[in-house]
Amino acid sequence: MADDQEHEGASVKEQLIEACRRNNVDLLNEIISNCKNDDEISDLLNNTTTVMGNHLYHEAALQGNYEVIDTLLDAPNFECDPLSRLEGDTPLHSAIRWINSEPPAQRDFGNALVAMMLEAGSSTRVRNKARLTPYQLVDPSNAALRDLIQKHEYAELNAGDFVSAEDVAGVKGSGGNGGNNAFADIQREEEQEEEEDDDAEFSGSDEEERAEWERRRKMKGR
């Protein structure tokens, strides 16, 4: 499929952007079906961007378009963490910005969207240009979303932590504190991230968040 191929006056890339913005799964699937092979699909879906530098995934996430996102994530070799040009956001950042802008009644739907994105491979550790992780963008009143992200991070941290009896015996036999040192390293990393979280500011109600930030800093100083 040629990049400049047109349909009803719009190029393929323009149609893709519109499909992702409007949750038009039928149009998205039509465009995908016209690609010659998986490589062409991957190139088109991963490299199409808006004039503002957003990828298709960003455009869908900024609108909370669950169905289109589900379709994108099924595409071969789809990139889960492209960065937007202006803010350096991942699509997970974008989805959380959308949830923050919606009324509380939308939170269950929004949290289900984030859960799907995490399951597909979106990273919670990427910081945007403001040095904020997706977790740090979450409205503090959305406890369910914060809990969802924290549980995912905990599961990721502990993935593959099971060791064989031989490994344990090797550590004991060496007389060293390999296991303890590894645990200490993880603890230090978590404490450092907590300090960075304290220093970061939620991009929402600034006055309330700054008051909470000051309160936390005072509590830590005691």
Side-chain angles (χ1 to χ4, degrees):
M1 177 188 295
D3 287 347
D4 58 355
Q5 179 180 340
E6 293 192 358
H7 175 67
E8 296 182 356
S11 70
V12 170
K13 290 188 175 182
E14 288 171 338
Q15 291 178 68
L16 275 174
I17 293 168
E18 189 69 7
C20 290
R21 284 175 175 169
R22 296 185 179 276
N23 206 30
N24 191 335
V25 177
D26 290 340
L27 177 57
L28 177 59
N29 281 327
E30 179 185 341
I31 294 170
I32 291 174
S33 67
N34 287 329
C35 292
K36 297 175 183 177
N37 49 50
D38 285 355
D39 287 341
E40 186 173 337
I41 295 172
S42 299
D43 180 64
L44 194 61
L45 299 186
N46 287 330
N47 296 320
T48 296
T49 57
T50 68
V51 293
M52 301 300 291
N54 284 347
H55 292 256
L56 296 176
Y57 200 177
H58 292 107
E59 290 298 307
L62 284 167
Q63 302 297 325
N65 290 337
Y66 189 102
E67 291 80 8
V68 154
I69 289 175
D70 191 24
T71 302
L72 290 173
L73 292 174
D74 283 339
N77 301 313
F78 187 68
E79 172 57 53
C80 289
D81 295 308
L83 302 180
S84 63
R85 186 170 70 235
L86 292 182
E87 294 170 321
D89 279 354
T90 65
L92 188 57
H93 285 95
S94 298
I96 290 170
R97 290 185 190 278
W98 172 77
I99 294 170
N100 289 346
S101 71
E102 291 292 303
Q106 280 286 83
R107 285 181 177 176
D108 286 345
F109 175 83
N111 295 353
L113 172 62
V114 168
M116 177 175 70
M117 294 171 70
L118 292 174
E119 182 67 24
S122 289
S123 174
T124 61
R125 295 189 174 268
V126 178
R127 295 180 182 273
N128 62 15
K129 290 183 179 180
R131 302 298 299 156
L132 296 174
T133 64
Y135 177 85
Q136 291 169 332
L137 276 181
V138 177
D139 186 327
S141 68
N142 194 346
L145 182 53
R146 287 193 161 201
D147 185 57
L148 171 67
I149 294 174
Q150 284 182 322
K151 285 181 177 178
H152 177 80
E153 289 181 336
Y154 182 80
E156 288 288 299
L157 182 65
N158 287 280
D161 273 357
F162 297 101
V163 296
S164 67
E166 290 80 4
D167 291 334
V168 174
V171 170
K172 288 182 178 179
S174 67
N177 293 319
N180 291 335
N181 288 339
F183 179 75
D185 289 342
I186 292 173
Q187 263 193 325
R188 281 194 294 271
E189 181 180 342
E190 289 179 341
E191 289 170 358
Q192 181 180 356
E193 288 186 356
E194 286 177 2
E195 289 177 0
E196 290 174 345
D197 287 352
D198 283 344
D199 291 335
E201 294 184 22
F202 161 67
S203 61
S205 53
D206 293 338
E207 293 182 3
E208 293 179 5
E209 184 63 14
R210 177 164 290 280
E212 175 63 15
W213 180 79
E214 292 288 352
R215 185 189 68 79
R216 290 201 306 263
R217 300 299 292 180
K218 289 176 181 179
M219 290 292 292
K220 288 183 69 175
R222 289 182 180 178

